[in-house]
Amino acid sequence: MSELHVKTTAFFDLLNDTDLESRRAKARSLLASDLRYVDPHAPEEMWGSEKYLDFLVMFKGKFPELRFQPEEIAAHHGISKTPWTLVKQDGSTFSQGEFVLDWEDGLLIRRIFGFMR
C-alpha cells in the first residue's frame, strides 16, 4: 500500500472522528493551513483548514449518525481519488460521491474537491 493510500485512509478517519480534539490533531497532520475545499453541497468554496474543520463540526452536528465509507483508492503523482458512500447507522446508503485530494509534496492535503454521484 502506497503512502498516499495510507494518508487517504487517514483522511477518512478524520471525517468519521466524533471527538473534536482528536479530529483537530488528525487535521494538523493531514491538512495544509491554506487548504482549499470545493464541494457542491458546501455553502461556499472554503479556504483554510480551520474553516474546513468548522464545516465538519457543522456537518457532524447535523448528521451525527453518518459515516464515510471509502471505496477503492486510486493514487498517483500526489493526487488521490476515492469514491465513498455515506452510510446511516442501519447500514443503508444516505449518499455517494468522490473526493479528489491534492497532496502537497505527498505530505499535506492542499486541495479537496468533492463530487456527488
Side-chain angles (χ1 to χ4, degrees):
M1 183 179 290
S2 76
E3 182 67 21
L4 281 181
H5 283 82
V6 171
K7 288 197 165 261
T8 300
T9 299
F11 170 72
F12 280 92
D13 291 342
L14 162 72
L15 295 180
N16 289 323
D17 198 330
T18 58
D19 180 78
L20 184 59
E21 290 310 311
S22 174
R23 191 181 311 137
R24 286 196 184 286
K26 289 174 183 173
R28 282 190 293 275
S29 71
L30 290 170
L31 306 178
S33 61
D34 62 346
L35 172 79
R36 177 181 174 211
Y37 176 66
V38 181
D39 186 302
H41 290 332
E44 61 186 15
E45 184 174 325
M46 285 175 239
W47 290 89
S49 58
E50 286 300 318
K51 194 159 191 164
Y52 181 66
L53 284 172
D54 291 343
F55 175 72
L56 289 180
V57 168
M58 183 272 308
F59 181 83
K60 280 295 198 183
K62 192 172 181 180
F63 302 106
E65 75 285 356
L66 298 179
R67 290 191 50 80
F68 283 91
Q69 187 172 58
E71 297 171 22
E72 184 176 346
I73 298 168
H76 63 84
H77 295 91
I79 306 286
S80 62
K81 180 182 84 134
T82 309
W84 51 260
T85 300
L86 201 50
V87 180
K88 298 178 185 179
Q89 282 183 329
D90 66 6
S92 64
T93 297
F94 180 79
S95 66
Q96 294 181 304
E98 292 185 357
F99 282 127
V100 175
L101 308 176
D102 181 6
W103 295 87
E104 184 173 16
D105 299 324
L107 301 173
L108 297 173
I109 302 168
R110 66 178 166 177
R111 295 186 298 177
I112 302 171
F113 299 99
F115 295 88
M116 301 303 294
R117 288 194 267 167

